[in-house]
Amino acid sequence: MSSEGAKEDCLGWAARDPSGLLSPYKFSRRTVGSDDVSIRITHCGVCYADVAWTRNMSGTSKYPLVPGHEIVGIVKQVGSSVQRFKVGDHVGVGTYVNSCRECEYCNDGLEVHCEKMVLTFDRIDTDGTVTKGGYSSHIVVHERYCFRIPENYPMDLAAPLLCAGITVYTPMIRHKMNQPGKSLGVIGLGGLGHMAVKFGKAFGLKVTVFSTSISKKEEALSLLGADHFVISSDVEQMKAIAKSLDFIIDTAAGNHPFDPYMSVLKTGGILALVGSSEVKFSPASLNHHMRTVSGSLTGGTKDTQEMIDLCAAQKIYPNIEVIPIDYANEALERLIKRDVKYRFVIDIENSLK
């Protein structure tokens, strides 16, 4: 967040126009308030949201725009009223940095659903400034929206948990997709999908990965430990598993048919949508066998901290490719082409100078 006349003490990389091209940019962060935490950023994950916002896909982007909402770093200063953190703590910041703190959602730790929720970048904060994300040297955030990263959890691996991880964890917990012995299907094997597989296995589920490409089979079964792999475009393979899954989590971004996936759910089965695509299916796909379709965003503060602690306790680690900040433009292009296994993480600490 910048303010006119303030010292430009933060170095970041920003897009200046809808080309989305990132380049160095100096700006100011707000002064640390009594409830704020100032964080020296060490790593920041690269999310498709970074592509969408830097290229103004929604038509609302405000430039210069500093993306990044999978932020991990070390506390360098705390406000006088901060209780939860001290200088030197490892912390994370996710997809939002403010909310009203008074509504029913905030009271339930579901701040992501607050009508006044403020996204980590490209949104107007309560002081009228525009939020700027984690492709930067440091950030100042109210302590409520910071998460403790256990000391034994690698900082670079923690970054993708703050968006990719919590986006699939939230619906899995909400719909009780953590019952050992139950069966889970995962559509899409990118940054979100590979975390859904990892959580599924940690919960003791039998995990089936769906893909349209046979090239994903080896990585799904051998690298990620899924139990089964199905080519979703193969009618016979889909028929062979009809009415066999308790849950499906759909992380795919592009448009795709839904009725074939609905047919592999058991009676009372649940399909959770976390990807972005146009949803079309026959009402009969729901009516027969009492199936349910549900949507989800990222997650509230309560679930996010629980997920981080679970990952540390059970050694659940994202698969990442660490990059320097000056590779960010290439990384975004590769992300568009789905050429990453499975999350880029920028080494801010050692490359942003």
Side-chain angles (χ1 to χ4, degrees), residues 65-84:
L65 190 153
V66 179
H69 61 199
E70 294 182 339
I71 303 166
V72 175
I74 299 172
V75 175
K76 66 175 185 175
Q77 184 181 350
V78 297
S80 58
S81 298
V82 170
Q83 300 292 321
R84 297 173 54 227

Side-chain angles (χ1 to χ4, degrees), residues 278-324:
E278 184 176 6
V279 181
K280 292 182 178 181
F281 55 83
S282 166
S285 291
L286 286 182
N287 299 340
H288 295 168
H289 305 289
M290 300 186 299
R291 294 166 178 138
T292 299
V293 174
S294 174
S296 187
L297 288 170
T298 54
T301 53
K302 179 176 178 291
D303 285 342
T304 302
Q305 189 63 63
E306 286 181 358
M307 174 211 58
I308 293 170
D309 293 342
L310 172 75
C311 289
Q314 298 202 21
K315 294 182 171 55
I316 302 170
Y317 300 129
N319 292 52
I320 66 171
E321 180 178 333
V322 178
I323 61 170

Side-chain angles (χ1 to χ4, degrees), residues 48-348:
Y48 192 80
D50 303 342
V51 174
W53 262 267
T54 55
R55 302 188 182 203
N56 198 25
M57 291 181 178
S58 67
T60 61
S61 296
K62 294 170 281 295
Y63 300 100
L65 190 153
V66 179
H69 61 199
E70 294 182 339
I71 303 166
V72 175
I74 299 172
V75 175
K76 66 175 185 175
Q77 184 181 350
V78 297
S80 58
S81 298
V82 170
Q83 300 292 321
R84 297 173 54 227
F85 303 100
K86 65 183 186 303
V87 172
D89 283 349
H90 293 187
V91 296
V93 177
T95 60
Y96 51 92
V97 292
N98 216 335
S99 64
C100 78
R101 304 171 209 160
E102 297 176 345
C103 68
E104 61 178 305
Y105 303 110
C106 287
N107 289 336
D108 287 341
L110 296 170
E111 296 88 346
V112 69
H113 299 291
C114 172
E115 290 295 325
K116 296 182 179 180
M117 181 266 291
V118 178
L119 295 176
T120 302
F121 62 83
D122 195 46
R123 284 296 183 268
I124 305 298
D125 208 345
T126 52
D127 61 357
T129 59
V130 178
T131 57
K132 292 179 169 59
Y135 290 30
S136 57
S137 57
H138 76 278
I139 191 168
V140 178
V141 182
H142 188 287
E143 69 167 328
R144 177 177 182 141
Y145 311 96
C146 299
F147 305 100
R148 184 173 301 281
I149 307 297
E151 293 286 336
N152 65 338
Y153 201 93
M155 300 285 273
D156 55 351
L157 296 175
L161 301 181
L162 279 306
C163 178
I166 189 59
T167 297
V168 295
Y169 179 86
T170 296
M172 293 180 78
I173 295 301
R174 177 187 174 197
H175 296 295
K176 298 180 173 56
M177 300 184 192
N178 58 351
Q179 304 171 61
K182 295 275 189 173
S183 53
L184 169 72
V186 177
I187 305 172
L189 204 56
L192 276 64
H194 96 288
M195 288 304 302
V197 174
K198 288 175 180 281
F199 284 133
K201 294 305 298 179
F203 292 144
L205 305 180
K206 297 176 182 176
V207 179
T208 298
V209 169
F210 293 97
S211 177
T212 56
S213 173
I214 191 65
S215 64
K216 298 280 184 135
K217 183 175 182 177
E218 183 66 20
E219 59 192 75
L221 299 178
S222 300
L223 180 63
L224 300 176
D227 299 283
H228 305 288
F229 180 86
V230 173
I231 297 293
S232 56
S233 56
D234 187 315
V235 176
E236 293 306 314
Q237 287 191 37
M238 294 294 280
K239 281 184 178 179
I241 61 167
K243 294 186 286 188
S244 67
L245 301 182
D246 296 290
F247 315 107
I248 295 176
I249 186 161
D250 186 347
T251 72
N255 292 337
H256 54 277
F258 283 84
D259 287 314
Y261 294 114
M262 298 295 287
S263 71
V264 303
L265 284 172
K266 294 180 180 178
T267 297
I270 297 169
L271 171 66
L273 302 172
V274 296
S276 54
S277 60
E278 184 176 6
V279 181
K280 292 182 178 181
F281 55 83
S282 166
S285 291
L286 286 182
N287 299 340
H288 295 168
H289 305 289
M290 300 186 299
R291 294 166 178 138
T292 299
V293 174
S294 174
S296 187
L297 288 170
T298 54
T301 53
K302 179 176 178 291
D303 285 342
T304 302
Q305 189 63 63
E306 286 181 358
M307 174 211 58
I308 293 170
D309 293 342
L310 172 75
C311 289
Q314 298 202 21
K315 294 182 171 55
I316 302 170
Y317 300 129
N319 292 52
I320 66 171
E321 180 178 333
V322 178
I323 61 170
I325 187 68
D326 59 10
Y327 190 75
N329 288 306
E330 288 86 347
L332 293 178
E333 289 295 334
R334 283 180 57 190
L335 187 58
I336 293 170
K337 299 173 184 176
R338 302 177 185 177
D339 177 26
V340 55
K341 292 186 175 59
Y342 292 95
R343 204 68 159 181
F344 289 116
V345 174
I346 303 171
D347 183 351
I348 298 291

